[in-house]
């Protein structure tokens, strides 16, 4: 019996109808495409009225297949599948064709766009007639969650889940949790002490009964799928036995080797070769820096081992790989600072008193290398004039075209701290002042009244080429004042570069391990930028904080809590539905060559040694089709994407192709 296909073409307001003659496409499909019983157009097919139209037609007209020409299946495939299911039709007998992103949003010629939509509709109808009913599969969700990254977003996500009674494993690559927030002195716009509001959360995570904390650890490998991920974690050798160590700090105190701290102190201070990053570190287990430790470089010293009262120092300790099983993963890996040396005209590391924003954070921090005193590189001279240069590496086509979001407010915070602690004049050189969040504009107005000077203009260069006595021994900032339309220069004692926020250097590598993608800039890509900003295209993997894009502390906390809420919902439900679009192997035709086993990116194919055949683990399969293409015997089939369906779709899209005439002999 011939299938009865219903075709529904969406106007999407003017998104599609503005470039495609939607009514003409619907009429054409009803008159010209085989097996089409009903063909309609509607303003908004995804609306409740549009869905009801499909349900009514299935029931009244006995439709056996549905084609919807609308927007991306990522957005509304579930919507139309649900409508089919409500009407008693198997949801996998519904086919979406994307005529918004693939046609109307990229086309310039309305006639050509309309013809392309006809081809896509024809292809979808030809394909859907050969689709087969599939049944949804459900898997249990492991209640344990892995959180990657111990910054404020990761801490918030961890605590939300742990307080709800669910087990959490938190891993952090540094020796302590806390992230960049632990380095800050104050937070804008309220000027709260950063350590005062962060340390309680750190302590709570470190002591929580539902949290397993692994610092100095990195993700090694991820396999499995939503509900049942298998994760390998590398615990890097600390050279200190965590079970024996009491955190007394004697080893740090007695260690004779000082090392420049380029991580936590941003190169502004020293630490020992055995160290904890800062006094409030969680956990308080020190780590030996083997690259700088005298014992590891010269084979002598061992002072830390001699003074340790519990004999916790272990020079023979090796990296350890542990395996855990989790149901979901939250990525909260944070950001790194732009390398300001990449802009040579600002003379960072060439002229002494040019600082990055992170260096200045440590300079004005009460627990920093100068105990919060704002002084120049000589360690004693207080600056009389300070220039703050915005957008260093941000909003720049040569480096990062995006705005880093927090730099304007951080610059205002720096201005306040300078005015509070010194008698210096502060000048802020900005392109645009961006203060859009709660109380940010008020903070900007406060700095205006406090006496901070604002110059709208891009700084061209920082140098020390004095032209007169007033400029002698100073840093000269050359800039354009765009409000006055003039090129100017001004001498300063100190320059602060507001470096851009960038993705972590290994963000793409880590994303590949977890099966998620990055934007061109390197930020993790969310499922939908507005409607689903914490989920990713890989079920069970969520993102939180600045690994998804530049954001401030409140936004990072909110996103961490949102990701935790999504995970908690899945755990509470107990099971999660996975797509039945998976591969299957005809074991009678399998030669046991194991090519598919090595090719599968999700480790979803096992080998039966007794029968010498491969077998798909359906709960792990993502239906990517790699094994289907790789099988030399052609005995692997991808559900919903078999050869008959694909060939029919190709024939359908070529509906207007004319057969070549055979030349007469």
């Amino acid at each position: 019996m011939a299938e009865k296909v219903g075709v529904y073409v969406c106007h999407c307001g003017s998104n599609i109808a503005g470039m495609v003659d939607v009514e003409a496409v619907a009429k054409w499909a009803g008159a010209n495409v085989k097996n089409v019983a009903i063909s309609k157009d509607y303003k908004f097919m995804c609306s409740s009225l549009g869905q009801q139209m499909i349900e009514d037609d299935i029931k009244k007209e006995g439709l056996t297949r549905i084609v919807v020409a609308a927007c991306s299946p990522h957005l509304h495939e579930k919507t139309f599948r649900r409508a089919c299911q409500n009407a008693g039709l198997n949801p996998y007998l519904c086919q979406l064709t994307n005529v918004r992103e693939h046609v109307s949003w990229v086309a310039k010629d309305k006639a050509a766009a309309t013809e392309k939509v006809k081809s896509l509709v024809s292809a979808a109808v030809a394909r859907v007639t050969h689709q087969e009913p599939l049944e949804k599969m459900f898997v249990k969700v492991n209640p344990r969650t892995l959180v990657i990254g111990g910054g404020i977003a990761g801490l918030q996500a961890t605590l939300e889940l742990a307080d709800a009674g669910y087990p959490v494993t938190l891993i952090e690559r540094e020796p302590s949790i806390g992230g960049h927030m632990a380095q800050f002195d104050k937070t804008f716009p309220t000027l709260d002490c950063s350590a005062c509001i962060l340390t309680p959360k750190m302590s709570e995570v470190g002591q929580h009964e539902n949290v397993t904390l692994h610092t100095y650890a990195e993700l090694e490998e991820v396999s499995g799928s939503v509900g049942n991920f298998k994760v390998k974690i590398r615990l890097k050798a600390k050279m200190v036995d965590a079970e024996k160590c009491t955190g007394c700090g004697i080893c740090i105190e007695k260690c004779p080797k000082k090392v420049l701290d380029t991580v936590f102190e941003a190169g502004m201070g020293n630490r020992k070769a055995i160290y904890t990053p800062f006094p409030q570190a969680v956990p308080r287990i020190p780590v030996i820096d083997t690259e700088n430790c005298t014992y590891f470089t010269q084979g002598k010293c061992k002072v830390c081992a001699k003074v340790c009262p519990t004999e916790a120092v272990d020079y023979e300790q090796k990296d350890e790989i542990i395996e855990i099983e989790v149901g979901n993963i939250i990525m909260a890996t944070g950001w790194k600072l732009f390398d300001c040396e990449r802009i040579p005209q600002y003379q960072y590391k060439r002229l002494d008193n040019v600082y990055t924003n992170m260096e200045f954070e440590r300079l004005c921090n009460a627990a920093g290398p100068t105990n919060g005193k704002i002084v120049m590189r000589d360690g004693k001279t207080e600056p009389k004039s300070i220039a703050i240069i915005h957008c260093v590496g941000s909003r720049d086509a040569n480096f990062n075209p995006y705005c880093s979001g927090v730099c304007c407010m951080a610059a205002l915070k720096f201005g306040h701290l300078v005015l509070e602690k010194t008698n210096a004049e502060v000048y802020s050189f900005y392109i645009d002042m961006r203060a859009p969040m709660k109380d940010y504009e008020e903070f900007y107005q406060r700095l205006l009244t406090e006496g901070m000077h604002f110059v709208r203009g891009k700084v061209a260069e920082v140098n020390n080429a004095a032209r007169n006595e007033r400029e002698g021994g100073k840093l000269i900032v050359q800039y354009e004042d765009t409000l006055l339309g003039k090129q100017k220069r001004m001498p300063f004692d100190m320059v602060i570069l507001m470096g851009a926020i960038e993705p972590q250097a290994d963000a793409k590598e880590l994303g590949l391990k977890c099966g998620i993608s990055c934007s061109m800039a390197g930020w993790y890509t969310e499922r939908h930028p507005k409607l689903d900003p914490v989920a990713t295209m890989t079920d069970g993997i969520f993102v939180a904080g600045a690994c998804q894009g530049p954001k401030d502390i409140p936004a990072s906390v909110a996103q961490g809590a949102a990701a935790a809420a999504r995970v908690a919902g899945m755990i509470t439900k107990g099971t999660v539905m996975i797509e039945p679009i998976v591969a299957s192997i005809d074991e009678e035709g399998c030669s046991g060559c194991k090519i598919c086993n090595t090719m599968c990116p999700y480790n979803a194919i096992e080998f039966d040694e007794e029968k010498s055949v491969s077998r798909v683990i359906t709960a792990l399969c993502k239906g990517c089709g790699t094994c289907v293409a790789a099988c030399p015997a052609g005995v692997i089939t991808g559900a919903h994407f078999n050869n008959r369906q694909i060939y029919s779709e190709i024939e359908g899209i070529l509906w207007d192709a004319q057969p070549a005439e055979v030349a007469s002999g």
Side-chain angles (χ1 to χ4, degrees):
M1 187 178 73
E3 303 294 347
K4 298 181 69 174
V5 182
V7 173
Y8 301 88
V9 188
C10 183
H11 290 245
C12 198
S14 61
N15 278 305
I16 297 172
M19 184 53 66
V20 176
D21 189 341
V22 173
E23 295 179 1
V25 171
K27 290 179 181 177
W28 172 86
N32 296 279
V33 182
K34 184 181 178 181
N35 293 323
V36 173
I38 288 179
S39 185
K40 297 180 179 180
D41 63 278
Y42 191 68
K43 285 285 185 182
F44 296 100
M45 283 305 307
C46 61
S47 67
S48 58
L49 293 176
Q51 295 175 57
Q52 190 63 49
M53 179 192 301
I54 294 174
E55 292 180 30
D56 292 343
D57 287 347
I58 292 172
K59 294 175 182 177
K60 293 177 182 178
E61 305 297 332
L63 300 181
T64 61
R65 301 287 191 276
I66 297 296
V67 168
V68 181
C71 58
S72 169
H74 288 310
L75 191 61
H76 279 303
E77 187 171 56
K78 289 183 179 179
T79 301
F80 297 113
R81 282 181 177 177
R82 190 185 308 114
C84 291
Q85 189 170 18
N86 291 342
L89 185 66
N90 187 283
Y92 294 93
L93 300 180
C94 173
Q95 177 69 15
L96 261 71
T97 183
N98 186 354
V99 299
R100 186 178 71 177
E101 284 85 341
H102 290 177
V103 184
S104 65
W105 280 3
V106 295
K108 296 182 179 179
D109 185 313
K110 188 167 185 176
T114 301
E115 291 303 307
K116 183 177 178 181
V117 172
K118 289 180 181 179
S119 294
L120 291 174
V121 170
S122 174
V125 172
R127 184 191 206 286
V128 79
T129 55
H130 297 293
Q131 286 179 193
E132 300 171 355
L134 300 175
E135 296 301 325
K136 296 178 181 178
M137 297 186 295
F138 292 87
V139 296
K140 291 184 178 180
V141 177
N142 188 320
R144 178 170 294 277
T145 301
L146 174 67
V147 178
I148 306 173
I152 186 59
L155 294 178
Q156 186 68 32
T158 298
L159 286 174
E160 294 283 351
L161 288 167
D163 287 343
Y166 304 123
V168 183
T169 296
L170 172 62
I171 64 172
E172 165 59 44
R173 68 169 52 173
E174 297 298 330
S176 170
I177 56 177
H180 288 295
M181 190 175 170
Q183 296 174 276
F184 300 160
D185 179 44
K186 298 274 200 289
T187 62
F188 57 77
T190 54
L191 299 174
D192 291 308
C193 167
S194 184
C196 298
I197 58 178
L198 176 66
T199 302
K201 284 188 179 291
M202 293 169 55
S203 299
E204 191 174 353
V205 165
Q207 299 171 11
H208 207 292
E209 59 184 2
N210 292 328
V211 177
T212 301
L213 176 61
H214 297 297
T215 56
Y216 215 49
E218 294 188 2
L219 183 72
E220 194 75 9
E221 182 182 311
V222 176
S223 60
S225 59
V226 57
N228 296 280
F229 290 105
K230 293 182 180 179
V231 180
K232 291 183 180 179
I233 300 169
R234 178 178 294 275
L235 304 181
K236 295 183 288 186
K238 297 180 179 179
M239 306 302 168
V240 174
D241 189 330
E243 294 184 0
K244 294 181 180 179
C245 180
T246 62
C248 66
I250 295 176
C251 57
I252 300 174
E253 179 186 343
K254 299 298 183 182
C255 177
K257 183 65 179 289
K258 288 187 177 181
V259 180
L260 183 67
D261 188 349
T262 59
V263 180
F264 187 80
E265 293 292 356
M268 295 294 293
N270 296 319
R271 59 165 171 78
K272 298 294 183 70
I274 183 170
Y275 70 101
T276 53
F278 52 98
Q280 304 93 338
V282 175
R284 287 185 53 81
I285 308 298
V287 172
I288 294 181
D289 177 1
T290 56
E291 292 184 2
N292 291 289
C293 174
T294 304
Y295 171 74
F296 284 95
T297 58
Q298 300 178 24
K300 55 185 179 181
C301 186
K302 288 192 174 183
V303 168
C304 53
K306 294 173 184 175
V307 301
C308 180
T310 60
E311 299 182 347
V313 177
D314 179 6
Y315 298 116
E316 303 302 319
Q317 195 177 75
K318 303 293 182 184
D319 289 3
E320 180 185 356
I321 303 293
I322 63 170
E323 294 188 23
I324 63 171
E325 294 183 357
V326 298
N328 295 275
I329 299 173
I330 297 176
M331 309 280 285
T333 52
W335 57 275
K336 73 176 180 70
L337 185 66
F338 173 76
D339 181 5
C340 294
E341 279 191 278
R342 293 171 63 191
I343 306 182
Q345 59 266 37
Y346 289 160
Q347 305 294 325
Y348 175 62
K349 288 193 177 177
R350 294 179 178 86
L351 298 178
D352 281 346
N353 291 302
V354 179
Y355 294 78
T356 66
N357 40 349
M358 192 56 73
E359 287 177 338
F360 192 76
E361 284 281 3
R362 299 308 303 157
L363 189 68
C364 60
N365 193 303
T370 62
N371 298 317
K373 294 180 180 179
I374 299 176
V375 292
M376 299 201 291
R377 295 281 186 189
D378 62 9
K380 56 184 178 182
T381 305
E382 185 177 288
K384 299 299 181 185
S385 56
I386 296 177
I388 302 176
I389 301 176
H390 293 229
C391 300
V392 178
S394 294
R395 303 182 67 192
D396 189 329
N398 296 315
F399 302 103
N400 298 302
Y402 56 81
C403 171
S404 288
V406 300
C407 307
C408 287
M409 296 304 298
L412 293 175
K413 178 185 74 173
F414 290 161
H416 171 82
L417 293 174
V418 170
L419 294 171
E420 181 181 61
K421 296 182 177 184
T422 73
N423 293 316
E425 290 282 316
V426 185
Y427 282 78
S428 177
F429 295 89
Y430 69 98
I431 299 175
D432 296 296
M433 186 59 63
R434 297 187 169 182
M437 306 306 290
K438 182 180 179 182
D439 295 334
Y440 284 11
E441 177 64 21
E442 289 82 351
F443 192 58
Y444 169 51
Q445 295 297 328
R446 174 179 176 177
L447 266 296
L448 286 171
T449 61
E450 287 182 359
M452 188 173 178
H453 305 289
F454 293 89
V455 179
R456 187 178 186 275
K458 183 79 172 177
V459 171
E461 184 182 13
V462 177
N463 60 57
N464 60 352
R467 293 182 181 175
N468 51 50
E469 290 184 6
R470 176 171 168 265
E471 294 180 352
K474 302 281 188 177
L475 298 172
I476 313 303
V477 173
Q478 296 193 178
Y479 64 97
E480 178 189 8
D481 189 324
T482 58
L483 296 179
L484 297 178
K486 292 183 178 181
Q487 297 280 342
K488 291 189 172 185
R489 56 190 279 129
M490 191 179 297
F492 292 94
D493 293 327
M494 180 185 291
V495 171
I496 304 170
L497 305 178
M498 302 304 297
I501 286 178
E502 290 188 327
Q504 293 282 10
D506 63 346
K508 291 184 180 179
E509 179 186 346
L510 189 60
L512 286 173
K513 290 179 180 178
C514 296
I516 64 175
S517 59
C518 295
S519 67
M520 291 300 292
W523 306 109
Y524 290 132
T525 304
E526 61 287 312
R527 184 179 289 273
H528 191 282
K530 297 177 180 64
L531 302 181
D532 207 350
V534 297
T536 67
M537 296 308 298
T538 298
D539 292 340
I541 309 287
F542 299 87
V543 290
C547 64
Q548 185 233 1
K551 51 180 64 70
D552 57 11
I553 292 170
S556 296
V557 169
Q559 201 170 20
R566 293 289 295 276
V567 170
M570 296 170 69
I571 298 172
T572 302
K573 195 173 181 181
T575 60
V576 61
M577 190 272 288
I578 60 174
E579 288 284 352
I581 303 173
V582 295
S584 60
I585 298 175
D586 179 4
E587 294 185 12
E588 290 185 5
C590 179
S591 65
C593 66
K594 296 186 180 180
I595 290 177
C596 58
N597 300 70
T598 59
M599 295 290 289
C600 180
Y602 301 101
N603 296 318
I605 303 177
E606 62 182 356
F607 188 75
D608 187 329
E609 296 288 350
E610 184 177 337
K611 294 183 178 181
S612 293
V613 296
S614 293
R615 187 176 295 113
V616 175
I617 306 171
T618 55
L620 301 183
C621 180
K622 289 289 186 180
C624 68
T626 302
C627 59
V628 179
C631 180
V635 297
I636 306 181
T637 303
H640 215 57
F641 290 93
N642 62 37
N643 288 346
R644 190 180 184 189
Q645 293 162 357
I646 299 300
Y647 290 150
S648 296
E649 190 170 13
I650 294 171
E651 291 174 3
I653 209 165
L654 298 174
W655 68 273
D656 59 344
Q658 299 297 322
E661 294 184 5
V662 179
S664 59

